Amino acid sequence: MSTQRPTLADVAAAAKVSVSTASLAFSGAGPIAAATRQRVLDAATELDYSGPNPLGRQLRQGRSGIVGVVVGDALRRSFRDPVSVQVLDGLVGTIGPLGLGVLLIPGADELTAATVDPLVESAAMDVAVLLWGGTTDDPVLASLRRRGIPTVLVEGKQFTDMATVGIDDRGGVATATRHLLELGHTRIATVTLPFNRERREGVADEERMTALDWEITSRRLAGITDAGVTPVAVYETPASLVEHGADAGRALLSAPDRPTAIVCQSDLLAGGVVLAARELGLRVPEDVSVLGFDGLDLPWLAPDVLTTVAQPLAEKGAAVAHAVEDLLAGEMPPYRELPVSLRIGTTTGPVPA
């Protein structure tokens, strides 16, 4: 009994058609009668033939079938962040039916790490997606440009040669800050995402503020300024993790002239600040109001529910996937900005008397 796998030629012979006709029956493209296609598929079933080799088909098309996704941080941190997971879920769930796979590429981890992961320089990919921004001198963008790989930039600057998907985070933070002003707060501090690859932690002085070059952090800080507020303190964190928010909360709320409200650039950071306030014996929001960004469900924060700027995470991932689809079709999609909305919870209230 032969163990040789059946080939497309075997199927064509069994169905009494040419190999090219059999190929069309599997591709679903081109002029072929329905009865002929069914005859080919029936022959394939009888021979236990699963279909043409996808790698061979991709090579003939000059494509890899792969979308490279640069996550912008070490994978060990990215997969602790529900924001990254939900955006990736929306992206993968939309491009999967297109017959595309995803290659996850970590961003630069620490300052001593390679600026660009080797996969960015060498991996086969039809389109690249760069999550969480990018600056004008981003070495990852420079590498992708050198390779001529079509790129979708998420929440970054707009370039004429790259597709961009963003959210109105600056406007959302401005709206949220005005909410605090309406409650009577004037001593407002902020806890931010990283400033740059150095990923420092601590209160940023004037000199450190000049090192700010990450787009998301800069825009969300600008939202506070747009509301007419100059933060009494800017605390930079190395990543969007609860423990970094807790460290920030302890530092800001232990100060003799502590703020009455804290605007955080992510919900995980805000959740950490709330935990730190509880640890210090402060009541939220009676003693300090805390505001987040993302719109995550944080059941471990109960009984508190964060006041937050909610963004459409899965929809953002899907929008990125549609931009990928457009680039594969040879089209440059227009810039798409998704709206955000202020969601009032239990963590903001009137300024303490």
Side-chain angles (χ1 to χ4, degrees):
M1 181 175 179
S2 173
T3 58
Q4 185 176 356
R5 294 179 61 208
T7 66
L8 184 62
D10 296 329
V11 173
K16 296 182 173 53
V17 298
S18 67
V19 173
S20 60
T21 298
S23 178
L24 288 174
F26 281 98
S27 70
I32 180 173
T36 302
R37 176 179 287 110
Q38 191 59 51
R39 193 163 74 248
V40 171
L41 297 179
D42 289 344
T45 300
E46 187 174 335
L47 293 172
D48 196 24
Y49 175 72
S50 58
N53 186 322
L55 178 59
R57 182 170 63 251
Q58 289 162 357
L59 291 174
R60 287 191 297 272
Q61 294 173 342
R63 290 183 175 176
S64 66
I66 296 296
V67 176
V69 179
V70 184
V71 297
D73 196 357
L75 293 180
R76 70 177 183 274
R77 282 195 291 248
S78 293
F79 282 99
R80 292 180 59 194
D81 186 353
V83 173
S84 297
V85 173
Q86 290 183 42
V87 172
L88 282 171
D89 187 55
L91 169 62
V92 173
T94 305
I95 68 170
L98 302 177
L100 300 170
V102 167
L103 171 66
L104 290 180
I105 304 173
D109 186 359
E110 308 299 341
L111 186 61
T112 55
T115 304
V116 179
D117 190 281
L119 288 172
V120 174
E121 302 277 8
S122 61
M125 61 183 90
D126 299 324
V127 175
V129 172
L130 182 55
L131 296 180
W132 321 137
T135 56
T136 52
D137 59 349
D138 192 317
V140 173
L141 294 182
S143 176
L144 295 171
R145 280 194 173 102
R146 277 196 307 274
R147 296 186 61 191
I149 295 177
T151 301
V152 182
L153 196 57
V154 183
E155 295 187 62
K157 287 189 175 181
Q158 296 181 52
F159 299 104
T160 57
D161 61 337
M162 294 186 177
T164 308
V165 174
I167 58 173
D168 183 20
D169 49 357
R170 180 170 179 168
V173 171
T175 298
T177 304
R178 293 187 190 102
H179 164 67
L180 295 175
L181 292 174
E182 290 167 0
L183 292 170
H185 295 277
T186 56
R187 291 190 52 77
I188 300 173
T190 184
V191 178
T192 77
L193 296 168
F195 278 22
N196 54 30
R197 278 193 69 232
E198 291 179 314
R199 295 183 179 275
R200 293 187 187 179
E201 183 166 15
V203 176
D205 57 19
E206 290 185 14
E207 181 181 358
R208 180 59 182 166
M209 292 298 293
T210 64
L212 173 58
D213 67 1
W214 279 15
E215 285 295 307
I216 297 176
T217 308
S218 179
R219 281 199 310 270
R220 296 182 188 182
L221 271 173
I224 297 178
T225 304
D226 291 346
V229 171
T230 300
V232 296
V234 176
Y235 192 102
E236 174 191 5
T237 67
S240 177
L241 295 176
V242 175
E243 55 262 39
H244 296 312
D247 289 340
R250 293 186 195 100
L252 294 172
L253 296 174
S254 297
D257 229 358
R258 67 171 184 256
T260 64
I262 300 177
V263 177
C264 301
Q265 292 192 353
S266 81
D267 282 349
L268 293 186
L269 293 174
V273 170
V274 171
L275 295 180
R278 293 175 182 172
E279 179 185 314
L280 294 170
L282 299 174
R283 299 166 301 162
V284 178
E286 291 84 358
D287 297 317
V288 60
S289 288
V290 181
L291 196 148
F293 191 106
D294 287 325
L296 298 179
D297 179 20
L298 302 178
W300 48 265
L301 202 60
D304 282 309
V305 176
L306 275 179
T307 296
T308 181
V309 178
Q311 60 166 314
L313 296 169
E315 292 87 341
K316 182 163 67 176
V320 173
H322 291 310
V324 167
E325 187 176 12
D326 288 342
L327 289 175
L328 286 174
E331 302 173 2
M332 178 60 70
Y335 171 65
R336 183 175 182 191
E337 181 177 274
L338 302 177
V340 299
S341 59
L342 178 62
R343 192 172 70 197
I344 305 298
T346 64
T347 61
T348 52
V351 65

